[in-house]
Amino acid sequence: MQKNTTQKILITGANGQLGSEIADALAIRFGTNNIITTDISINSNPDKKFKFEKLDVMDFDTLVQLVKKYYITQIYHLAAILSAKGESNTQIAWKINMDGLLNVLEVARIFNLNKVFWPSSIAIFGPTSPKEHTPQHTITEPETNYGISKHAGELWCKYYFEKYGVDVRSLRYPGIIGYKSMPGGGTTDYAVEVFHKAINNESFVCFLEKETCLPMMFMPDAIKATLQLMEEKKENISIRTSYNIQGMSFSPEEIIAEIKKYHPEFLVTYQPDFRQKIAEAWPSKIEDKIAKKDWNWKPDFNLKKMVKEMIIQLEVQKKDWIKEGVL
Ligand SMILES: NC(=O)c1ccc[n+]([C@@H]2O[C@H](COP(=O)([O-])OP(=O)(O)OC[C@H]3O[C@@H](n4cnc5c(N)ncnc54)[C@H](O)[C@@H]3O)[C@@H](O)[C@H]2O)c1
């Protein structure tokens, strides 16, 4: 069989909040046929737009088979157990987050893959890191299972790049806000859930204190950063752990005040739970001058612009669902 010379991209965790949107963005660049989506769960990808294979990222042999079967040249490794969910499944979360990454890096080394993308997180920072304008290189003493796995993962990426030349690139995503899918168990999930409650005229119970300010990013900016990083010339990539990137920063009371401009009757109460402690240990604003310098990073959305777009898009979605009888 003739080897396909175009890029063939395999995405792990493709049914998740980021995977579903990154797949669409990559399809525009590389063509739908060149995107192979995979996930441990098979209940997504309803329109069958992309080729889908069931893959548990801890299963090295199946990963190898898929890389061979589709002549994969790049992997976007998104499968993970996120910060809040990871606290109640400590052993399994660590295994998925670490073994999954090591399997992908090993496959990239063996098959000499062109590039790998793997997201890290602001969760690599901890209570001893500077809270404001947290620098790229600083004290990192994460306190969550998830944060420890991301921190270790960053060092593994650097190791595979330096020792084996694997071109693995990474971003320390902040909390990601999007309208197309629900988040999967992170500490910043409230910032998506709050919109769904407001749009459906329901009250909202916030699991963080009203003044807890965290770094966040609108999905289109997260996609833009990811593709920009992956398309940058190799010699310009100076960070081989993971890049700090800043989008916007806000607290629950700030985003709710902005949403109330559209839904003045929106009722919110605060009942902080275990996620408050996680959030308190994270930075409130990230310093990202190296990403700006290396690959020209600049977000398009601030809080005001993001809230407006979220409300417009969710209203459209709600009307469609009512028309289709989903609601
Ligand atoms: N969403 C955010 O706010 C955020 C912030 C920082 C970093 N990240 C990182 O981005 C990546 C994607 O996050 P997301 O928000 O899309 O998460 P998500 O929870 O929405 O999706 C993760 C996907 O991984 C799949 N998965 C879980 N275990 C698996 C396994 N063993 N094998 C294969 N698939 C498995 C799940 O079924 C799910 O579809 C993760 O690495 C996450 O740590 C996300």
Side-chain angles (χ1 to χ4, degrees):
M1 195 195 236
Q2 188 84 41
K3 185 169 176 177
N4 193 331
T5 50
T6 60
Q7 296 296 318
K8 284 273 184 189
I9 303 178
L10 182 142
I11 304 174
T12 72
N15 291 347
Q17 190 197 6
L18 274 145
S20 46
E21 301 220 22
I22 284 182
D24 284 336
L26 289 173
I28 294 168
R29 293 275 204 287
F30 298 100
T32 306
N33 292 340
N34 293 320
I35 311 300
I36 313 300
T37 57
T38 73
D39 202 287
I40 197 166
S41 72
I42 51 166
N43 59 355
S44 197
N45 195 21
D47 52 4
K48 302 271 185 291
K49 192 167 33 172
F50 299 107
K51 180 89 197 149
F52 179 83
E53 297 271 4
K54 191 166 188 282
L55 171 69
D56 178 345
V57 288
M58 292 189 288
D59 177 355
F60 182 74
D61 293 341
T62 305
L63 178 61
V64 166
Q65 277 170 27
L66 293 178
V67 167
K68 282 186 184 166
K69 178 176 172 185
Y70 293 105
Y71 301 108
I72 295 300
T73 60
Q74 298 189 18
I75 298 181
Y76 281 61
H77 174 44
L78 306 176
I81 302 296
L82 273 68
S83 57
K85 221 168 150 189
E87 292 306 289
S88 53
N89 305 291
T90 314
Q91 293 292 321
I92 188 74
W94 175 261
K95 276 189 100 46
I96 292 172
N97 292 352
M98 279 332 310
D99 291 359
L101 174 62
L102 286 170
N103 283 344
V104 168
L105 291 174
E106 201 45 19
V107 160
R109 178 185 76 79
I110 294 167
F111 290 92
N112 198 17
L113 297 192
N114 200 333
K115 280 177 208 164
V116 174
F117 176 74
W118 170 78
S120 183
S121 159
I122 56 156
I124 65 129
F125 299 113
T128 50
S129 312
K131 248 193 142 25
E132 282 283 321
H133 303 287
T134 313
Q136 176 72 41
H137 302 287
T138 186
I139 302 169
T140 44
E141 295 181 318
E143 285 190 331
T144 57
N145 176 10
Y146 175 73
I148 298 168
S149 73
K150 289 293 188 191
H151 190 218
E154 288 191 6
L155 297 174
W156 276 115
C157 289
K158 188 164 183 274
Y159 180 92
Y160 266 77
F161 171 71
E162 284 173 356
K163 185 151 183 170
Y164 303 118
V166 173
D167 189 0
V168 47
R169 305 180 182 194
S170 178
L171 298 171
R172 290 172 178 160
Y173 284 144
I176 309 293
I177 300 162
Y179 53 85
K180 291 190 186 163
S181 57
M182 292 302 282
T187 304
T188 52
D189 290 8
Y190 89 86
V192 178
E193 288 160 11
V194 67
F195 283 100
H196 290 265
K197 294 291 184 188
I199 293 290
N200 292 314
N201 303 315
E202 292 171 25
S203 58
F204 178 61
V205 182
C206 184
F207 60 72
L208 294 185
E209 297 273 19
K210 59 177 160 195
E211 67 282 352
T212 309
C213 182
L214 290 170
M216 302 275 187
M217 185 171 286
F218 195 30
M219 184 65 85
D221 275 336
I223 305 284
K224 178 175 114 163
T226 305
L227 296 192
Q228 239 179 292
L229 171 71
M230 291 302 277
E231 281 168 10
E232 187 55 59
K233 283 194 205 121
K234 199 170 167 182
E235 57 269 28
N236 291 343
I237 306 296
S238 69
I239 299 294
R240 286 296 177 171
T241 48
S242 186
Y243 278 95
N244 270 12
I245 46 166
Q246 170 70 16
M248 61 190 91
S249 288
F250 58 78
S251 63
E253 68 182 344
E254 286 168 324
I255 189 175
I256 286 157
E258 200 57 41
I259 291 172
K260 278 189 171 181
K261 290 183 185 165
Y262 302 85
H263 292 270
E265 310 297 321
F266 188 37
L267 209 66
V268 179
T269 51
Y270 294 89
Q271 278 177 29
D273 64 17
F274 72 99
R275 288 168 280 195
Q276 179 62 30
K277 187 167 176 281
I278 301 177
E280 274 170 19
W282 288 353
S284 51
K285 193 165 196 246
I286 300 290
E287 186 265 285
D288 59 359
K289 64 178 178 208
I290 305 181
K292 284 180 182 142
K293 179 176 156 285
D294 284 3
W295 42 275
N296 216 10
W297 164 239
K298 191 172 176 286
D300 292 327
F301 288 86
N302 58 19
L303 174 63
K304 200 178 156 82
K305 211 170 152 195
M306 178 272 287
V307 169
K308 185 175 178 199
E309 188 64 14
M310 280 293 284
I311 297 215
I312 291 171
Q313 295 297 341
L314 286 173
E315 293 284 8
V316 170
Q317 204 174 76
K318 189 177 169 186
K319 275 189 200 133
D320 289 348
W321 284 353
I322 290 170
K323 227 189 291 168
E324 290 162 18
V326 180
L327 281 183

